[in-house]
Amino acid sequence: MKKFILPLVLVFSLVLTGCANIKSMRVNAQMKSAQKYLLEEDYEKAIVKLEKTIAIDPKNVDAYILLAKAYQEADMQEEAEEIIDKIRDINGVRLSSIQKEKVSALDSKRIYSEILNNFYKTGIIGDVDELYWLDYANEISSLDDDLTPCYYYFTLEDVTGDGKDEIIIGKKYKSLGSESGYIYEVIKGRAVRIGYIDSYRILTDNNLLVNSFVDSETKEEKTQVFSYYASIADFIILDKDKHSKEIEEAKEMIANNKIKLKVDDIVTPLNPENIKEAVDKMSLQDIDSIDEEDKSSDNEESTITNNKRKKKDKEVYEKWRSNYFKINEEDHGRFELMDITGDNRDELIVKLGDDGDSYSCVIFGTLGNEIYILASGHSDDFRMFEDNSILFVSENMDNSKKFEYYKYDRDIRRFYMEKAGQYREGDLEYLDKLLEKKVKLTGDDIDTELTKENLDVAFGD
């Protein structure tokens, strides 16, 4: 009997393998046909092929993604959203980072709508709360309320060159008439503030942010140019020596009126009707352009030895220190070096303007040869907790406490505000719980004078 068991097992195994191969071939054939019809813009036939693919292989995420795309291209948004929901509910399937990004891109209209409508109702967008500091915040029903101190406007525009729209919120103070605009990128379904524009700051056609102003002391006209860095979701000022070509190009574009966005262009009032109209019209990112993230800069950093990296970081921090105190000679800087992000390299924590009551704390990191801000705030009580979250607290004239609480976000390599509080219902209780957390560093602990010599010592030189 044993003589027959092994051959039977082998035969059964070969049958299963053959069935799997046949299934794979059928799926590939249907997917190729669907992709062909998508290129030909024959969405009806593409949908049929993709539905057949899913019938053969119900856990084929790529087929669902293409089906959602086909529905969107056919102006069948509701059907597309149903498929997107199904993708997120497929049992036993873990989406890759690229698949997640494609799903988010396909779901952009719903995501943008939810972000903007929530902002309209609550005054909160991403990690920014527009209303928490108002003692009547709990009485405000929406940003249309007469009680709000500003008028709010918005537009959707790709200002980073990544193929997807950013949300730009404009606000105009009712009493002063001053205007400003804040730029938000949608990253993994949430809004992240990446920059701002005003009467001095404008965006050029090649996605550079240009700040033109007159120096108050020398009366000279000056220009600062900022470029967007996706890895930290922020605009960083370009060094005039290293990036002279880009700076001159930006100046030329301004002179030739090649301007993508000015604060005066943000004129659409923020309300549900206008949000729906803008979202319905928005162009979606091409999911075929979404590929594996370019890790070349990270790989380059990883090949640098610890000693070389420390030397590089010290040079970047020292350059900032030297430039800052040339301009702010009377400022008193104190610092601490500490790894607070878990990347095995020290961030520079600087305390500035300590007048005995309040001060500013700024946390710096490095990106190649550039310095950038991970978090900043002004308070009379700065705390870093054991879990490396940070808290800024200030006591006001009416004895109310204003606070901002941040956690580090690896996706954007900086701190993201979890909660800002002062007058909203429940704010005080939230703060009381935070103050019970174990503290790792306070503002009082940052007491080493920020000099070149002390920076050398801190880096072990």
Side-chain angles (χ1 to χ4, degrees):
M1 185 68 179
K2 289 181 181 179
K3 293 180 181 180
F4 296 101
I5 293 175
L6 185 58
L8 286 172
V9 170
L10 289 171
V11 169
F12 186 64
S13 176
L14 288 170
V15 169
L16 289 177
T17 303
C19 290
N21 288 337
I22 292 169
K23 177 181 175 182
S24 178
M25 290 169 63
R26 291 173 64 200
V27 165
N28 289 337
Q30 297 292 341
M31 287 286 281
K32 284 181 180 178
S33 293
Q35 288 167 335
K36 172 178 172 290
Y37 288 129
L38 281 171
L39 287 172
E40 294 172 355
E41 299 184 4
D42 191 339
Y43 304 120
E44 186 177 343
K45 288 181 179 178
I47 289 168
V48 170
K49 291 294 182 181
L50 290 165
E51 286 176 342
K52 286 182 178 179
T53 304
I54 292 167
I56 299 166
D57 184 2
K59 294 188 177 183
N60 191 315
V61 174
D62 292 331
Y64 278 104
I65 287 172
L66 284 181
L67 181 57
K69 177 184 177 180
Y71 276 129
Q72 279 189 341
E73 297 288 355
D75 291 326
M76 302 170 71
Q77 184 62 24
E78 288 186 13
E79 289 82 353
E81 290 177 1
E82 287 178 10
I83 296 301
I84 290 165
D85 291 338
K86 285 182 180 179
I87 295 172
R88 291 176 173 141
D89 291 334
I90 300 174
N91 289 327
V93 174
R94 185 176 181 179
L95 273 62
S96 70
S97 59
I98 297 302
Q99 288 172 334
K100 287 179 182 177
E101 193 173 347
K102 287 183 177 182
V103 172
S104 290
L106 289 166
D107 207 14
S108 292
K109 290 192 175 185
R110 184 163 48 175
I111 290 170
Y112 280 57
S113 178
E114 288 174 355
I115 289 171
L116 286 164
N117 278 297
N118 183 68
F119 180 49
Y120 173 78
K121 293 173 186 175
T122 67
I124 299 172
I125 179 168
D127 65 347
V128 177
D129 187 338
E130 286 282 327
L131 308 175
Y132 76 97
W133 55 277
L134 299 171
D135 58 6
Y136 50 86
N138 296 311
E139 300 171 32
I140 296 174
S141 58
S142 76
L143 292 182
D144 264 346
D145 200 304
D146 291 337
L147 290 172
T148 59
C150 299
Y151 298 110
Y152 290 90
Y153 307 89
F154 80 107
T155 189
L156 303 178
E157 181 86 37
D158 178 13
V159 298
T160 63
D162 63 355
K164 65 178 182 179
D165 285 344
E166 278 69 53
I167 297 171
I168 298 96
I169 300 294
K171 68 177 184 178
K172 181 176 182 180
Y173 282 92
K174 294 176 181 178
S175 58
L176 302 174
S178 59
E179 295 177 277
S180 55
Y182 296 89
I183 308 166
Y184 295 85
E185 183 176 9
V186 177
I187 300 174
K188 293 190 175 181
R190 61 180 184 172
V192 177
R193 190 156 84 177
I194 62 173
Y196 72 94
I197 57 175
D198 54 23
S199 56
Y200 302 101
R201 289 178 169 231
I202 56 180
L203 283 151
T204 63
D205 282 348
N206 61 345
N207 305 309
L208 292 174
L209 181 61
V210 181
N211 182 29
S212 302
F213 62 98
V214 176
D215 189 291
S216 58
E217 292 185 2
T218 65
K219 306 303 179 184
E220 290 181 90
E221 289 188 10
K222 293 194 174 182
T223 300
Q224 295 173 323
V225 179
F226 301 76
S227 181
Y228 185 66
Y229 284 70
S231 58
I232 58 170
D234 205 356
F235 282 89
I236 292 183
I237 189 168
L238 296 181
D239 185 281
K240 61 183 180 181
D241 296 322
K242 296 178 187 173
H243 302 281
S244 57
K245 183 180 178 182
E246 292 92 332
I247 292 171
E248 288 307 313
E249 284 178 356
K251 288 180 180 179
E252 190 176 333
M253 293 194 104
I254 298 296
N256 294 324
N257 204 33
K258 293 182 178 180
I259 296 168
K260 179 174 282 189
L261 189 71
K262 307 188 301 291
V263 70
D264 295 343
D265 298 329
I266 313 169
V267 295
T268 304
L270 183 76
N271 60 49
E273 294 77 18
N274 289 337
I275 291 169
K276 184 179 186 308
E277 183 178 351
V279 169
D280 284 346
K281 290 180 179 178
M282 72 182 284
S283 55
L284 298 177
Q285 183 182 13
D286 180 8
I287 63 168
D288 293 333
S289 68
I290 299 172
D291 207 339
E292 290 295 337
E293 295 178 6
D294 181 10
K295 301 291 184 181
S296 57
S297 60
D298 290 343
N299 291 335
E300 183 182 344
E301 287 283 324
S302 66
T303 61
I304 301 174
T305 64
N306 284 336
N307 287 337
K308 285 185 178 179
R309 184 183 292 122
K310 285 178 68 174
K311 182 180 178 181
K312 193 175 181 182
D313 288 349
K314 187 186 76 169
E315 289 172 353
V316 173
Y317 291 146
E318 168 53 26
K319 183 176 181 181
W320 172 85
R321 185 206 67 80
S322 177
N323 290 337
Y324 179 83
F325 288 108
K326 278 181 186 176
I327 302 170
N328 304 276
E329 294 178 359
E330 298 179 1
D331 210 339
H332 301 287
R334 300 286 185 270
F335 81 100
E336 183 77 28
L337 279 181
M338 184 181 292
D339 177 14
I340 58 175
T341 64
D343 61 356
N344 295 318
R345 60 198 302 181
D346 288 335
E347 282 71 46
L348 177 66
I349 308 167
V350 178
K351 183 168 73 170
L352 298 166
D354 188 356
D355 59 7
D357 293 320
S358 63
Y359 49 84
S360 295
C361 268
V362 187
I363 302 173
F364 293 101
T366 63
L367 182 67
N369 294 317
E370 309 290 346
I371 191 168
Y372 73 100
I373 296 174
L374 283 79
S376 65
H378 189 83
S379 69
D380 46 43
D381 183 2
F382 168 76
R383 303 185 186 200
M384 180 180 296
F385 299 112
E386 289 288 343
D387 61 2
N388 290 332
S389 59
I390 58 176
L391 176 68
F392 298 94
V393 185
S394 298
E395 189 165 332
N396 298 301
M397 297 291 290
D398 62 357
N399 294 322
S400 66
K401 289 187 176 181
K402 176 182 176 181
F403 68 92
E404 295 175 351
Y405 177 58
Y406 295 82
K407 289 184 178 179
Y408 183 69
D409 188 321
R410 294 186 182 279
D411 289 329
I412 57 174
R413 296 190 187 182
R414 54 189 172 93
F415 285 84
Y416 192 86
M417 195 190 307
E418 287 287 309
K419 170 74 175 172
Q422 185 173 0
Y423 290 114
R424 286 191 185 273
E425 187 175 346
D427 282 354
L428 187 58
E429 292 79 7
Y430 190 99
L431 176 60
D432 286 342
K433 288 184 179 179
L434 289 177
L435 294 175
E436 293 174 1
K437 296 180 67 167
K438 289 186 178 181
V439 176
K440 180 178 183 178
L441 182 77
T442 69
D444 291 339
D445 298 328
I446 306 170
D447 58 2
T448 303
E449 187 177 358
L450 185 51
T451 64
K452 182 181 185 305
E453 294 74 22
N454 287 338
L455 204 55
D456 288 342
V457 171
F459 272 100
D461 293 345

